[in-house]
Amino acid sequence: MPQVTEEAAKRAEEIKNEANEHFKKQQYERAIELYTAAIELDDNTAIYYGNRSLAYLRTECFGYALEDASKALELDKSYVKGYYRRASAYMSLGKFKLALKDYETVSKTRPNDRDARLKFQECQKVVKMIMFQKAIAVEENTKTVAQSIDLRSMVIEDDYEGPGLEEGMVTENFMLELMEHYKAQKKLHRHHAYKILLDIKKQLMKLATLVDVPIPDGTKFTVCGDIHGQFYDLMNIFKLNGLPSTTNPYLFNGDFVDRGSFSVECIFVLFGFKLLYPDHFFMSRGNHESVTMNQMYGFQGEVKAKYTAQMADLFTEVYNWLPLAHCLNSRVLVMHGGLFSTDDVTLDDIRKTERNRQPPETGIMCELLWSDPMPGKGRAPSKRGVGIQFGSDITWNFLEKNNLEYIIRSHEVKSEGYEVTHGGNCITVFSAPNYCDTMGNKGAFITMTGGDLKPKFTTYEAVPHPPVKPMAYANSILSLFS
């Protein structure tokens, strides 16, 4: 290792301290820039990598966080926070056994460290729970959750005053009442909730993995990005842009749930509109429509709190049937994450992709849900640790190969709610303003008309919501790893 001069080491320490101040103010991107500057001056100090790892965790760059934590431990095996950071990254990526291994290491080397012992024990519980769930799933794989639901046993009490399905069907009046019911922080009766889930599963099972969406000339079409359980902001979208209808079609591009604490309300409204307008309301799967994400980031806990564990399992079955992408007029491809690790992927390859499963760690389905664009050209390992990063040439080649004009994706917070990159070929739209009540970003949605498909962006600020904090239902173990 090259020697660091005393002057460089002193300046690096000053920059690190400045970065720490930005971190305290939740200015994570600036903190990352400064930690990087400190590392450029002195790349032999574990704490610089450890601090940057934590900042990457805050910005959900779990792949980079993992890399930095590992580098910190390479420099100093006794750097305990390095194990904590790496465990957090592993936990965020659903790699619970690897997280457990890090805490076991700390517990053995520091047997009197109560904090490490507590985290090891909690992580161990998660691993045992997952192993137990897998064992049960193998035993019960002959019968789906949907098949085990008995709606007749779910009697609607006489004193229930909420919205009701009309002859078992979602109607426009039901949807209007449901939204008002939710605004008043009331719950939909379990009978109606289960019926919606059973019906939406049947509907989604009939769809293709890649759905072709025709938009007639002159017809308006709206694409929304991540909602993340921010129900009151979802209502604001409909206030600004009109309710979904046969003349006002929408596509919601994944991550309907998690983090925000009104995810149940969001998903039932969206599923309700999908049932009401099956040919004019579209939903793509996001990376958060998965078991691991729902276990960690709140949706599973919220469903259990508002309904039952059985319903949480039913949601998992339903999410497995969500389409992975939509193609608008054979000219614009919309997916939650992004493009692929190879140059040969075609629309037909997406159509042939088996989607009725949990997202794998590699391949087309994984990359549709997890990948991100990057400046420059080529490909790079994902900052998230899953999927890839792809440059402008990758986007251009994909469009050229598949005779497309541009792609729309979501998956990333943007300060203005949207971002146009790769020479206009790649558009990101994110529809959850002031994400997690902390990010200060605007939300956005895209409108276009069927003829030219030229994107128009509408941005908006967050609206007030009841005093329930984001992540209120998240797995309690997350707080241990922050």
Side-chain angles (χ1 to χ4, degrees):
M1 252 178 221
Q3 280 293 107
V4 178
T5 66
E6 185 177 336
E7 183 182 351
K10 182 181 177 182
R11 180 61 184 140
E13 187 66 13
E14 291 172 352
I15 293 172
K16 182 264 289 183
N17 292 335
E18 185 183 348
N20 289 348
E21 292 304 311
H22 284 283
F23 184 94
K24 290 174 187 174
K25 297 174 185 175
Q26 299 183 340
Q27 296 166 348
Y28 303 124
E29 297 290 352
R30 181 59 181 151
I32 288 167
E33 289 175 6
L34 289 167
Y35 289 134
T36 301
I39 289 168
E40 287 170 354
L41 288 167
D42 177 3
D43 61 358
N44 298 333
T45 302
I47 193 172
Y48 299 166
Y49 291 96
N51 286 8
R52 191 172 69 175
S53 178
L54 185 58
Y56 278 136
L57 286 168
R58 292 287 191 270
T59 56
E60 300 185 21
C61 296
F62 304 128
Y64 288 173
L66 182 60
E67 190 177 305
D68 271 358
S70 296
K71 179 63 177 178
L73 291 169
E74 180 187 314
L75 291 169
D76 182 359
K77 284 186 168 53
S78 66
Y79 179 54
V80 173
K81 285 185 178 179
Y83 291 102
Y84 287 173
R85 305 286 184 261
R86 192 164 71 180
S88 296
Y90 280 141
M91 292 292 290
S92 300
L93 292 166
K95 299 180 185 294
F96 304 111
K97 287 184 180 179
L98 290 171
L100 184 63
K101 188 176 179 182
D102 275 341
Y103 279 106
E104 188 175 22
T105 300
V106 178
S107 296
K108 285 180 177 178
T109 56
R110 300 180 63 156
N112 297 323
D113 189 329
R114 291 181 60 190
D115 184 59
R117 189 166 65 250
L118 171 64
K119 289 174 179 174
F120 172 68
Q121 291 169 348
E122 289 301 313
C123 193
Q124 198 170 39
K125 288 179 188 176
V126 173
V127 171
K128 287 181 178 178
M129 178 189 72
I130 291 169
M131 291 173 66
F132 176 69
Q133 289 173 338
K134 284 182 178 178
I136 291 177
V138 170
E139 291 173 11
E140 298 180 349
N141 64 0
T142 56
K143 191 174 185 180
T144 67
V145 178
Q147 289 171 330
S148 70
I149 304 299
D150 181 11
L151 286 175
R152 292 171 299 180
S153 68
M154 300 179 192
V155 178
I156 302 173
E157 297 80 6
D158 291 338
D159 60 352
Y160 174 68
E161 296 181 346
L165 298 170
E166 298 177 26
E167 297 182 358
M169 303 288 288
V170 171
T171 62
E172 183 180 346
N173 187 58
F174 170 81
M175 290 305 301
L176 293 172
E177 289 185 8
L178 179 64
M179 289 184 287
E180 292 304 314
H181 194 66
Y182 281 156
K183 288 175 189 175
Q185 300 179 68
K186 296 177 182 178
K187 193 171 79 170
L188 178 66
H189 194 281
R190 66 190 182 284
H191 177 98
H192 300 309
Y194 272 104
K195 181 66 164 62
I196 286 172
L197 288 177
L198 294 176
D199 287 351
I200 199 71
K201 183 185 176 188
K202 290 177 186 175
Q203 187 187 104
L204 294 176
M205 288 174 70
K206 297 175 185 176
L207 299 178
T209 297
L210 169 58
V211 176
D212 290 293
V213 181
I215 309 173
D217 286 1
T219 301
K220 174 185 166 186
F221 191 85
T222 302
V223 180
C224 296
D226 302 39
I227 297 297
H228 275 300
Q230 296 185 197
F231 171 74
Y232 294 87
D233 294 307
L234 174 62
M235 293 299 96
N236 189 42
I237 292 173
F238 292 154
K239 180 180 178 182
L240 294 170
N241 195 53
L243 289 172
S245 69
T246 55
T247 57
N248 194 27
Y250 278 82
L251 165 56
F252 281 82
N253 197 28
D255 282 14
F256 321 115
V257 300
D258 276 340
R259 297 195 181 275
S261 296
F262 304 95
S263 291
V264 164
E265 291 79 2
C266 285
I267 197 62
F268 277 119
V269 166
L270 294 174
F271 278 165
F273 277 122
K274 180 61 182 169
L275 288 170
L276 183 58
Y277 304 117
D279 299 323
H280 297 87
F281 193 90
F282 305 92
M283 298 174 70
S284 288
R285 190 174 186 173
N287 64 303
H288 275 267
E289 279 68 58
S290 65
V291 170
T292 302
M293 294 293 107
N294 292 166
Q295 286 174 336
M296 297 302 295
Y297 293 102
F299 183 64
Q300 186 183 90
E302 185 180 341
V303 176
K304 287 180 178 179
K306 295 178 179 178
Y307 290 100
T308 64
Q310 180 195 47
M311 182 181 282
D313 292 338
L314 180 55
F315 267 110
T316 297
E317 276 188 11
V318 172
Y319 288 159
N320 283 351
W321 287 104
L322 282 164
L324 302 182
H326 292 76
C327 194
L328 313 182
N329 279 0
S330 302
R331 292 160 54 193
V332 178
L333 187 67
V334 187
M335 78 293 279
H336 180 73
L339 296 181
F340 311 101
S341 52
T342 61
D343 291 325
D344 56 354
V345 177
T346 66
L347 297 185
D348 278 342
D349 291 324
I350 299 173
R351 290 188 178 97
K352 294 172 186 173
T353 299
E354 168 58 45
R355 74 181 188 277
N356 180 27
R357 55 180 171 157
Q358 287 304 293
E361 293 190 8
T362 58
I364 288 175
M365 181 175 179
C366 168
E367 289 157 2
L368 281 168
L369 299 181
W370 279 97
S371 290
D372 296 291
M374 67 177 187
K377 295 184 177 182
R379 294 181 175 91
S382 171
K383 59 188 178 183
R384 302 173 188 267
V386 188
I388 64 155
Q389 294 186 94
F390 57 97
S392 58
D393 56 329
I394 305 302
T395 301
W396 189 90
N397 290 336
F398 176 79
L399 297 176
E400 186 79 3
K401 184 177 184 67
N402 290 282
N403 198 28
L404 296 167
E405 294 181 11
Y406 61 94
I407 64 170
I408 297 175
R409 41 88 61 185
S410 302
H411 195 39
E412 288 183 285
V413 182
K414 299 297 176 185
S415 60
E416 292 300 310
Y418 73 95
E419 185 177 58
V420 181
T421 56
H422 295 181
N425 290 331
C426 178
I427 297 173
T428 298
V429 60
F430 191 87
S431 300
N434 194 25
Y435 181 45
C436 291
D437 286 359
T438 60
M439 298 299 287
N441 61 291
K442 293 179 182 177
F445 55 81
I446 298 170
T447 52
M448 61 185 77
T449 54
D452 60 16
L453 295 184
K454 183 178 179 181
K456 177 187 174 185
F457 304 98
T458 300
T459 64
Y460 48 90
E461 303 284 351
V463 297
H465 63 75
V468 183
K469 293 181 179 180
M471 303 284 282
Y473 301 95
N475 194 312
S476 58
I477 199 169
L478 275 183
S479 63
L480 297 176
F481 296 93
S482 59

